Amino acid sequence: MDTSRKRTVPGAQSIARAAHLLRLVTAGGEAGMPVADLARRADLTRPTTHRLLTALREEGLVDQDEHTGRWMPGPELYLMGSVAASRYDITAIARDIVRSLAVRTEESAFLSVRRGDETVCLLREEGSFPIRSFVLSEGVRFPLGVASAGLAILAFLPPHDVDAYFERHRGLGEEWGISHSEARLRVRLRETQERGYAINPGLIVEGSYGLGAAVFTREGHPQWALSLTGVQFRFGPDRLPELGRTLLAHAHQLTTRIAASR
C-alpha cells in the first residue's frame, strides 16, 4: 500500500478512521460494541470516536441501541451489502458444503473470507456434538495467521506477500501472544503447506481446537477458508487425520464449485 500517496489525498485520514470503525462495529455483530471499546481498538480518543460514529449514524451506516448505548451495523450497510453480494458473496453456493462438513464431523463448521490482512467469518453451522467452542461467529475478524482459517490462507499466499504481511504486522506476537510471533508462525506455515490444512491447538481460547483449509479462486489464489472448531479432546491423534481429510475434501469441492460458477 502506498501510504505516502494515502496521506496526500484530502480527507483520507478521516475516511480511513471511519472505515476502521465500521469494521470494528460489524465485528461486534448483533450484540454491538460500546464506544469505549471501539475507541480503544481504533486507537482514537473517545470524543473523536463518538463524533465519527455520530456522523456514520446520520448516514445510516451504524446504529445505536437506545437502551444499552452499544453501536451496531446500520440499515445502509445491509443495503450496500445486498448489492455487493452479487459480485463477492459465495455463501449461497457454499452453505450446503459448510452444513455437510458440520454433519460429517459433528463439529462446528465455518466459511471465512480474506479481506485485506484479515479473515471475516461469513457462515457458521453448528455440529451435533453438545459441547462446543465459541471462538467464531458471523462477522468476527482475525488477522491472517491467528485463527486456523487465516493460517491456511496465509500459508498458500506467494512468499513475497507473506514477507510483506509480516513487515506490516510486526506486533502480532505482542498482541496475540508469543505463539504468534513471526518465527513461530513461519514454522506453522511450513507445517500447513506440508499437511494441507492448518491447526490451531487452543492458541486463541484455551481448551479449544481448530482446523482450517484454504479455498481457492479460479486463478489459484487462496481467498476463502473452511474451518472446524471444537473442544480440544475431540481433536486427538486418533481422529485428527480423518477430520483433516474430510475438511480438505470439502474445501476442494467448494474450490471446484467456485471455479465452475465464475
Side-chain angles (χ1 to χ4, degrees), residues 30-85:
E30 294 182 3
M33 291 186 66
V35 67
D37 285 357
L38 290 168
R40 176 178 54 81
R41 297 188 184 192
D43 197 23
L44 298 172
T45 65
R46 185 163 177 163
T48 297
T49 303
H50 192 271
R51 183 171 66 252
L52 289 170
L53 289 170
T54 300
L56 291 169
R57 181 177 59 185
E58 290 298 314
E59 299 298 327
L61 295 170
V62 299
D63 201 3
Q64 187 177 27
D65 188 285
E66 60 182 20
H67 300 295
T68 66
R70 288 173 169 258
W71 294 86
M72 52 200 63
E76 282 296 325
L77 279 185
Y78 168 76
L79 296 174
M80 291 177 179
S82 298
V83 175

Side-chain angles (χ1 to χ4, degrees), residues 105-172:
T105 64
E106 301 181 337
E107 310 297 343
S108 296
F110 307 87
L111 170 69
S112 297
V113 63
R114 180 189 177 193
R115 188 66 182 92
D117 287 350
E118 298 178 313
T119 55
V120 186
C121 180
L122 299 178
L123 285 176
R124 174 182 178 126
E125 285 286 343
E126 298 289 1
S128 60
F129 190 72
I131 305 176
R132 296 166 183 162
S133 171
F134 292 95
V135 176
L136 267 182
S137 59
E138 286 93 341
V140 170
R141 295 171 178 260
F142 284 111
L144 293 177
V146 172
S148 59
L151 187 62
I153 290 173
L154 190 62
F156 292 98
L157 287 176
H160 64 272
D161 285 348
V162 176
D163 293 341
Y165 175 77
F166 283 122
E167 184 68 24
R168 290 192 299 272
H169 298 278
R170 294 183 176 274
L172 276 177

Side-chain angles (χ1 to χ4, degrees), residues 212-247:
V215 174
F216 298 85
T217 66
R218 179 185 293 175
E219 296 75 25
H221 304 304
Q223 183 62 28
W224 306 270
L226 292 178
S227 58
L228 293 167
T229 68
V231 288
Q232 193 157 0
F233 70 83
R234 294 270 295 169
F235 291 76
D238 57 330
R239 190 167 182 254
L240 190 59
E242 179 59 30
L243 288 173
R245 286 191 291 270
T246 302
L247 177 62

